[in-house]
Amino acid sequence: MTTPLETSAQYYGHEANFEFMSASQVKSFIGTPGIQACEERAVAELNGLYVRPESNALTIGSYIDVMLTGTEDEQYAFRDAHPEMFSSRGSTKGQLKAEYRSANDMVARAFQDRDNGGIFMRSLTGEYQKVVTGEIHGHRFKGRIDVLGDGFITDLKSVENVNKRYYNEGWWDFVGWWGYDLHGAIYQELVDQLTGHRWPFYIAALSKQVPCDIDLRQVPQDRLDEAMERLTPSALDRIAALKSGEEKPKRCGRCDWCRATKVIRKPRILEVV
Ligand SMILES: [Zn+2]
């Protein structure tokens, strides 16, 4: 039997996360240059013992998604689900609170591009939040694609700064740092299994700077292929064995979960630095 994935509650639900792997799940197990991998935290998250801290950034991202690609009904539903974003009294009642107001500027920036003849909004034309499933190295995968266009795939991202470089044993752009190339590679593969076409992968990015920057990047095919190579059969087998409890997860010793659950069994010798 297959878990239904139609609603977002089903898609992100416990059962679906056990039955299917996904780009973000794989990232929490194997990490990216900017995301610390921690097997024990990833397993704890699956079991509901660890909950990722809520952040404004995530809420702003979802707000932009729904304002640029959602129906009017979805936009109303989003407002109902996120009362914390809107002022509840005074002359600003019903408007976005100050800390979320930049989200409106980001949405407006996308429409400004369209009004000036830009193609940013065209990259967001297609089926929204399209759920795709398939198999990679014998493991079932699910993906929820922001936009499945006619001949292309687009992920809409709100980023700090589209030109920022990050350092971790080498320099990375935001795509590599956050593992968006891995998302693209998985989406492309699942869409290929569905349609028989390997479509290009774009990232439509809006920055949180004032004024907001706008960018449309195509992730080159060799980078998608490279990302796919990181999903080796043995890496996926290991994740499956950790999910089923056959293998014991390793602690990274550096993340918030490890910090919160550490037990002192003996003193550590202070290392000379
Ligand atoms: Zn850890």
Side-chain angles (χ1 to χ4, degrees):
M1 218 194 73
T2 297
T3 309
L5 302 173
E6 282 95 62
T7 68
S8 71
Q10 288 166 341
Y11 182 87
Y12 294 109
H14 179 80
E15 280 171 43
N17 284 337
F18 264 95
E19 189 174 332
F20 296 91
M21 293 190 190
S22 66
S24 36
Q25 191 177 91
V26 165
K27 276 173 18 179
S28 63
F29 278 100
I30 68 174
T32 72
I35 300 172
Q36 174 70 43
C38 182
E39 291 180 348
E40 195 178 283
R41 181 179 58 181
V43 171
E45 187 173 17
L46 276 171
N47 291 321
L49 299 172
Y50 171 82
V51 180
R52 286 181 206 216
E54 279 264 333
S55 74
N56 279 5
L58 275 181
T59 317
I60 287 175
S62 321
Y63 177 79
I64 291 167
D65 270 358
V66 77
M67 294 310 286
L68 290 181
T69 66
T71 62
E72 223 168 275
D73 282 350
E74 285 164 344
Q75 292 173 1
Y76 281 119
F78 183 88
R79 287 181 77 104
D80 289 343
H82 293 277
E84 78 280 7
M85 291 182 75
F86 301 92
S87 166
S88 58
R89 64 189 98 154
S91 60
T92 57
K93 190 173 171 183
Q95 290 175 18
L96 281 173
K97 283 186 188 165
E99 64 266 40
Y100 294 108
R101 225 162 282 156
S102 61
N104 261 355
D105 297 337
M106 292 162 79
V107 171
R109 185 68 190 82
F111 287 119
Q112 180 201 326
D113 181 73
R114 182 194 61 189
D115 296 344
N116 288 313
I119 61 161
F120 185 86
M121 289 299 288
R122 250 193 279 160
S123 78
L124 302 180
T125 308
E127 282 184 83
Y128 301 124
Q129 303 302 327
K130 171 77 177 169
V131 172
V132 286
T133 57
E135 250 186 51
I136 299 174
H137 302 314
H139 298 282
R140 303 188 68 196
F141 266 78
K142 60 176 175 148
R144 202 161 191 248
I145 300 173
D146 282 345
V147 182
L148 181 57
D150 186 11
F152 62 90
I153 301 164
T154 307
D155 228 10
L156 177 61
K157 293 283 179 212
S158 41
V159 303
E160 228 181 308
N161 171 343
V162 296
N163 298 308
K164 187 167 170 175
R165 292 287 184 271
Y166 302 82
Y167 191 82
N168 182 359
E169 291 172 13
W171 288 98
W172 303 85
D173 55 25
F174 76 93
V175 173
W177 184 253
W178 298 115
Y180 296 151
D181 45 2
L182 193 66
H183 279 265
I186 291 173
Y187 294 162
Q188 187 184 57
E189 175 60 28
L190 298 180
V191 169
D192 187 4
Q193 291 179 17
L194 190 75
T195 64
H197 298 289
R198 282 187 101 65
W199 282 336
F201 176 65
Y202 298 105
I203 294 178
L206 291 164
S207 86
K208 293 171 195 158
Q209 294 156 296
V210 179
C212 164
D213 199 0
I214 188 166
D215 211 351
L216 182 62
R217 297 278 177 99
Q218 180 178 354
V219 182
Q221 191 56 43
D222 57 349
R223 282 189 65 177
L224 297 175
D225 294 343
E226 240 172 72
M228 206 57 181
E229 280 166 22
R230 297 204 294 275
L231 293 187
T232 59
S234 64
L236 297 187
D237 290 349
R238 166 94 184 150
I239 294 173
L242 290 164
K243 286 174 70 174
S244 68
E246 269 164 72
E247 283 183 38
K248 197 172 175 298
K250 286 197 200 108
R251 291 167 65 80
C252 76
R254 285 164 35 195
C255 72
D256 52 352
W257 167 261
C258 290
R259 204 163 64 227
T261 56
K262 180 157 102 180
V263 177
I264 302 297
R265 303 200 188 276
K266 60 176 185 189
R268 285 200 299 165
I269 308 293
L270 190 63
E271 288 159 29
V272 178
V273 286

